[in-house]
Amino acid sequence: MADPTDSNTIDLFVIGGGINGCGIARDAAGRGASVALAEMNDLASATSSSSTKLFHGGLRYLEYFEFRLVREALIEREVLLRAMPHISWPMRFILPYHKDMRFESDTPTSKLLSLFMPWMKGRRPAWLIRLGLFMYDHLGGRKILPGTTTRALAGSPEGAPLQDRFAKAYEYSDCWVEDSRLVVLNARDAEARGAQIMTRTKVLNATAENGLWRVETQNTENGEKKTFSARMLINAGGPWVGDIIQTKVRLNSREGVRLVRGSHIVTRKLYDHGKCYFFQGTDGRIIFAIPYETDFTLIGTTDADHADPSQKPECTPEEQDYLLNFANQYFKNQLSRGDIVWTYSGVRPLYDDGASSATAATRDYTLKVDTSSGAPLLNIFGGKITTYRRLAESALEKVAEHLEMRQGKWTAGVALPGGDFPVDGVAALVANLKAGFSFLTDFWALRLVRAYGTQAAGILGDAREAGDLGQDFGATLTEAEITWLMNNEYARTAHDVVWRRSKLGLRLTDDQIGVLDNWMARRRQSAAAAAE
């Protein structure tokens, strides 16, 4: 039997290395709790690297009367912006207006309008959009981001890519975020505060014994098995949260998860300015068109039910056509499948609230503690990347009901690794980096600052020319950076690097990625041999 007083017993064992799991591990470790986290693949390998890359309040959620969720997310935008100005930054959004814009038919707002203004026939009137934007500006108490303005599109850079029928637009603020880097930085900070972060580590089973959890894990690379004893178990498995309850913990739970697939397409850059578009469709849904990785445009997302978490989500041909046709209702230059350079898709693990459609399902998070086995288990359902820090705080409130915490909330305003500089300080960091390393191009220097912030110079070390950084893998990716990522950011394969630690997969050929993967495999083998 496990002994609760055993010094080998940890406080929390977290299953899942997405944003919720890593955010909770960081918060708990900073409060003095002993924490271990297991992720069966790479960090952010599923939902947390497949978002629309926005810290946003969720303007459309106002139509569902989700005011608490929107207010919390709006407040969090600026809290997070200050803590990670390298991987998050303000963006302005252009919402073109046309009289034919419509609600999705089953939103509470649509039903009210249909009841009191039946002649509108589901259309979004301009006054209602402006009211929603007024609420969006004021619910969260903005301090950094500018408010909404009305813009004439004719003759403007914002209107140039759009069809002439769009004469007016509303412009409002939200923020961009590098989602998978956000996860890695939370994991790094959690580890720096004492947490044990284990990637490529599968939880085989978890059993409650004598008020503790006995958790068995296996490293999927070398087969090594370990057993942990933990006072509380956190199920942050994302799309697998339900599977973990049923097959790993083996509990009969009435709580359900609704898997909703969100797919995106990436095209070559469609316009020259740096603002995003918020497009409303005739079906009542919305999509974004967002400047992406300097030379591309990101378009998404869809909402479709996804039956099986083990089935890899992919942007189907039908979803590609849907997004293309949606964008073609707005852009002058019509898009086709030939314009798509990459697609990606993720599964959102939403709390099953019985909503009639995937779009209507709540994006709010739900935290449920189960003690039926004799030891506390916290299951995490849903959530938005914008509210991950608040979710973690709420999770620790639940934990504190069962375990003694040494301190309270602490993460608000505390910078993530590399984020210890002002919100408007990116240009100065880039200039300083180029001054110290004259061989850097503008693109290279900005890429490093956007990824690593104040830690970028440390990666370059004492290099005086590009050749000092070792092998060149293409697209400014060098041996020095790869070594740093493997030593400090849990990177194991080329895919970890070019699609999660960065998006340089958009610029590298398959052959170049293969060369990188082989180099990393040899380095792993050398490290394993040296450790024996």
Side-chain angles (χ1 to χ4, degrees), residues 21-30 33 35-37 43 183-199 410 416-417 485-490:
C22 291
I24 290 169
R26 179 195 183 219
D27 193 332
V35 182
L37 178 148
L43 297 174
V183 178
V184 170
L185 295 183
N186 270 272
R188 284 184 57 202
D189 203 45
E191 186 173 61
R193 298 174 190 277
Q196 182 178 356
I197 306 296
M198 301 172 289
T199 63
W410 65 274
L416 286 171
L485 288 170
M486 295 183 77
N487 290 343
N488 297 280
E489 291 201 354
Y490 319 98

Side-chain angles (χ1 to χ4, degrees), residues 85-101:
H86 49 332
I87 64 167
S88 180
W89 52 90
M91 293 188 107
R92 294 290 279 174
F93 285 68
I94 305 296
L95 195 165
Y97 178 74
H98 191 270
K99 61 182 178 62
D100 292 333
M101 290 173 175

Side-chain angles (χ1 to χ4, degrees), residues 119-436:
W119 59 90
M120 294 300 298
K121 297 181 179 179
R123 290 194 296 270
R124 283 184 177 101
W127 64 264
L128 188 67
I129 294 174
R130 194 64 187 87
L131 175 62
L133 287 166
F134 177 84
M135 294 175 65
Y136 205 68
D137 279 347
H138 293 89
L139 272 175
R142 287 176 303 105
K143 295 180 181 178
I144 299 175
L145 302 175
T148 299
T149 59
T150 302
R151 177 175 294 280
L153 293 174
S156 70
E158 295 83 359
L162 302 178
Q163 297 171 18
D164 293 338
R165 66 192 181 99
F166 297 105
K168 180 176 75 170
Y170 301 105
E171 182 174 322
Y172 70 96
S173 292
D174 262 322
C175 299
W176 175 266
V177 65
E178 301 286 358
D179 54 2
S180 50
R181 289 212 55 74
L182 174 65
V183 178
V184 170
L185 295 183
N186 270 272
R188 284 184 57 202
D189 203 45
E191 186 173 61
R193 298 174 190 277
Q196 182 178 356
I197 306 296
M198 301 172 289
T199 63
R200 268 82 177 186
T201 300
K202 194 169 187 176
V203 172
L204 300 178
N205 59 73
T207 306
E209 296 181 356
N210 193 29
L212 298 174
W213 286 101
R214 182 177 182 272
V215 185
E216 295 184 7
T217 68
Q218 183 174 31
N219 185 296
T220 58
E221 290 185 330
N222 60 24
E224 181 184 5
K225 291 184 178 180
K226 290 184 178 180
T227 300
F228 293 83
S229 177
R231 296 180 176 87
M232 191 165 184
L233 189 64
I234 309 290
N235 176 8
W240 292 271
V241 63
D243 180 69
I244 290 168
I245 294 171
Q246 299 296 328
T247 68
K248 307 300 182 186
V249 185
R250 295 182 298 279
L251 293 179
N252 290 319
S253 174
R254 291 175 295 177
E255 307 301 336
V257 63
R258 183 170 189 167
L259 303 180
V260 176
R261 185 176 67 252
S263 295
H264 303 76
I265 60 176
V266 175
T267 69
R268 294 292 175 186
K269 186 161 70 171
L270 300 179
Y271 50 88
D272 292 328
H273 61 80
K275 298 177 183 178
C276 310
Y277 289 103
F278 178 116
F279 293 154
Q280 303 177 85
T282 55
D283 62 353
R285 292 208 64 252
I286 65 101
I287 64 169
F288 297 101
I290 312 173
Y292 189 59
E293 296 293 321
T294 307
D295 298 316
F296 304 92
T297 299
L298 171 64
I299 299 174
T301 179
T302 60
D303 275 318
D305 285 311
H306 191 83
D308 184 357
S310 64
Q311 178 184 350
K312 180 177 172 59
E314 294 181 352
C315 183
T316 65
E318 294 76 16
E319 287 176 307
Q320 293 177 40
D321 289 341
Y322 174 81
L323 293 171
L324 290 169
N325 293 335
F326 202 141
N328 283 339
Q329 296 173 30
Y330 282 83
F331 288 125
K332 286 178 183 175
N333 295 328
Q334 298 293 279
L335 302 171
S336 68
R337 284 198 195 172
D339 295 301
I340 298 175
V341 299
W342 183 49
T343 69
Y344 69 90
S345 187
V347 176
R348 310 178 190 98
L350 306 181
Y351 185 67
D352 191 354
D353 60 354
S356 59
S357 70
T359 301
T362 181
R363 267 53 177 176
D364 209 347
Y365 54 81
T366 301
L367 311 179
K368 296 287 185 176
V369 175
D370 189 313
T371 58
S372 62
S373 63
L377 162 69
L378 174 59
N379 295 309
I380 311 294
F381 299 93
K384 287 162 44 67
I385 197 166
T386 313
T387 53
Y388 89 89
R389 192 195 65 83
R390 286 289 295 116
L391 182 151
E393 287 186 337
S394 298
L396 267 294
E397 290 175 8
K398 298 283 189 183
V399 170
E401 295 173 4
H402 300 271
L403 305 181
E404 183 179 350
M405 292 287 103
R406 294 192 181 97
Q407 70 176 75
K409 299 176 183 179
W410 65 274
T411 56
V414 177
L416 286 171
D420 48 339
F421 66 96
V423 170
D424 59 355
V426 167
L429 268 185
V430 170
N432 289 339
L433 197 65
K434 288 191 68 181

